[in-house]
Amino acid sequence: MPYIAPQSGLKSFTCPHCSVIARQYHYYSSGKLDGSQYGVESQNPVRVSKCEHCEKLALWYFDQLVYPNRGASPPPNPDMPCEVAVDYEEAAGVSTQSPRGSPALLRLAIQKLCIHLGGKGKNINDDIALLMKNGLPQRVQQALDVVRVVGNNAVHPGQIAVDDGEVVAHLFTLVNLIAEYMISMPKKIAGLYDDLPAAARSAIAKRDDISGSSS
């Protein structure tokens, strides 16, 4: 899914409310508490952007997005299991205020994702090893290990600069890629395969039976 991180003053970006890339109208707050009027120029550090698609407002303090509070992280993959998405969203909510806490929450998210994919849930490292034995692609394993190691380092300081906002932003992308590769892609392929004519699927099954018996 294309994603353009929200940025104060940028004409178009992925709306933090509706997750659609849309035109954004930027204003400076007039200072009125009811928010009924906005000005285009002001020395007020409080700024407002309005999404053309959903018409909802985002609140900025100088160049920092403060509402909705999800930093610059992309929305979770729509096929992500609910229990994983909850931790993902919590990590997004603290990503700017606590770049050390966010990786720890993402590590918890992939631990739950490993359980969803067939892991036992006792040890995330063991779960990744088990998934590898069951055919987990190496690139997905590497993505899981990046989030695991950086998340561990957030709790037990080591050599990785987990307070680096760019590193944290990449972790969100990796978690979404893992969900895309392991959940969304198989779901899409299965749907397309099921739409094939019954005769074609029967011929494929017969081919695979012959191939299996000759090996």
Side-chain angles (χ1 to χ4, degrees), residues 27-139:
Y27 308 92
Y28 292 84
S29 172
S30 66
K32 294 191 174 183
L33 295 179
D34 62 4
S36 59
Q37 294 182 6
Y38 302 99
V40 294
E41 292 185 5
S42 171
Q43 297 300 313
N44 195 326
V46 178
R47 307 176 186 182
V48 173
S49 61
K50 181 178 180 180
C51 175
E52 186 176 62
H53 181 261
C54 69
E55 298 186 345
K56 291 184 178 180
L57 301 178
L59 183 64
W60 303 78
Y61 183 69
F62 288 106
D63 292 331
Q64 182 176 348
L65 178 64
V66 295
Y67 174 81
N69 185 19
R70 57 176 302 108
S73 58
N77 182 299
D79 293 321
M80 192 179 290
C82 291
E83 65 273 17
V84 179
V86 167
D87 292 330
Y88 182 100
E89 289 286 22
E90 185 176 352
V94 301
S95 59
T96 54
Q97 289 82 8
S98 179
R100 296 180 63 84
S102 190
L105 286 165
L106 289 177
R107 181 195 177 284
L108 178 61
I110 65 161
Q111 184 168 10
K112 293 180 180 179
L113 186 56
C114 283
I115 297 173
H116 179 82
L117 297 175
K120 297 180 180 179
K122 295 181 179 180
N123 182 291
I124 188 172
N125 202 37
D126 291 344
D127 280 350
I128 294 174
L130 176 62
L131 294 174
M132 283 290 290
K133 290 181 181 179
N134 293 335
L136 183 75
Q138 184 182 21
R139 291 302 184 190

Side-chain angles (χ1 to χ4, degrees), residues 104-192:
L105 286 165
L106 289 177
R107 181 195 177 284
L108 178 61
I110 65 161
Q111 184 168 10
K112 293 180 180 179
L113 186 56
C114 283
I115 297 173
H116 179 82
L117 297 175
K120 297 180 180 179
K122 295 181 179 180
N123 182 291
I124 188 172
N125 202 37
D126 291 344
D127 280 350
I128 294 174
L130 176 62
L131 294 174
M132 283 290 290
K133 290 181 181 179
N134 293 335
L136 183 75
Q138 184 182 21
R139 291 302 184 190
V140 179
Q141 166 258 311
Q142 290 174 344
L144 285 168
D145 277 324
V146 168
V147 182
R148 177 184 66 84
V149 172
V150 176
N152 281 344
N153 193 75
V155 180
H156 306 289
Q159 298 180 352
I160 301 175
V162 294
D163 55 349
D164 185 335
E166 187 174 353
V167 171
V168 175
H170 287 321
L171 295 183
F172 286 99
T173 299
L174 286 179
V175 175
N176 271 333
L177 286 174
I178 295 165
E180 174 68 23
Y181 198 97
M182 299 304 297
I183 301 175
S184 299
M185 285 181 60
K187 179 180 176 181
K188 293 173 185 175
I189 293 171
L192 291 171

Side-chain angles (χ1 to χ4, degrees), residues 10-28:
L10 196 63
K11 289 184 178 180
S12 298
F13 53 70
T14 300
C15 174
H17 289 288
C18 65
S19 300
V20 171
I21 297 177
R23 173 74 182 271
Q24 305 291 327
Y25 299 95
H26 299 267
Y27 308 92
Y28 292 84

